[in-house]
């Protein structure tokens, strides 16, 4: 009986420690993750989408990562395929980027970290263009 009580006490201490570490990590890591994602800069001007081809780009902030393959036609972005997909539904964002032909879409206002990382991955792919 005594052994079970000691084991139970040890388990409770471990659970309490895990909860405490989780709270501390969220208090530190969460704000850092948001600040870092907010600092991502989209660099590819729409005028530079003039070299048809297939380009790959990736981006990550902390544990959130995206890798994409962007297809450019003579009229702009024709397709975007995920090689590594972040959490969340990115389909509406991808549809908007293809529709507008730009990473500078209105969805950025209030965008999630996953959306910002996805846009930066697309941006990085577009920056790979060369004649």
């Amino acid at each position: 009986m005594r052994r079970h009580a000691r084991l139970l006490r040890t388990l409770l201490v471990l659970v309490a420690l895990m909860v405490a570490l989780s709270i501390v990590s969220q208090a530190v890591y969460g704000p850092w993750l948001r600040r870092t994602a907010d600092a991502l800069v989209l660099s590819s001007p729409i005028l530079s989408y003039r070299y048809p081809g297939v380009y790959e780009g990736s981006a990550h902030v902390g544990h959130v990562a995206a890798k994409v393959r962007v297809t450019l036609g003579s009229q702009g972005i024709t397709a975007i395929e995920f090689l590594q997909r972040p959490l969340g539904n990115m389909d509406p964002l991808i549809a908007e980027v293809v529709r507008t032909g730009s990473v500078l879409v209105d969805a950025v206002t209030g965008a999630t970290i996953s959306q910002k990382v996805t846009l930066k991955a697309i941006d990085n792919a577009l920056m790979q263009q060369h004649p």
Side-chain angles (χ1 to χ4, degrees):
M1 191 64 146
R2 203 169 200 181
R3 183 176 169 175
H4 292 297
R6 195 173 345 158
L7 180 61
L8 183 58
R9 193 175 331 126
T10 302
L11 286 175
L12 287 174
V13 168
L14 286 174
V15 167
L17 183 61
M18 288 174 54
V19 168
L21 286 174
S22 176
I23 291 169
V24 169
S25 70
Q26 286 301 312
V28 174
Y29 183 66
W32 173 85
L33 194 64
R34 284 186 289 283
R35 279 192 313 275
T36 305
D38 288 343
L40 290 175
V41 176
L42 302 176
S43 308
S44 61
I46 194 165
L47 298 175
S48 74
Y49 304 169
R50 58 179 171 246
Y51 301 111
V54 178
Y55 304 95
E56 290 184 6
S58 61
H60 75 280
V61 171
H63 69 282
V64 181
K67 185 172 183 180
V68 295
R69 180 176 293 136
V70 179
T71 304
L72 284 179
S74 60
Q75 300 299 311
I77 300 170
T78 59
I80 299 170
E81 171 189 355
F82 278 102
L83 302 175
Q84 179 179 358
R85 180 183 286 268
L87 291 176
N89 182 6
M90 298 296 114
D91 295 338
L93 178 68
I94 296 301
E96 185 67 9
V97 170
V98 171
R99 186 185 72 73
T100 63
S102 172
V103 293
L104 304 175
V105 295
D106 290 336
V108 175
T109 304
T112 66
I113 295 168
S114 292
Q115 289 172 323
K116 291 175 184 178
V117 169
T118 297
L119 289 173
K120 186 59 181 168
I122 295 167
D123 184 60
N124 288 341
L126 294 171
M127 294 303 289
Q128 300 299 314
Q129 296 178 71
H130 48 64

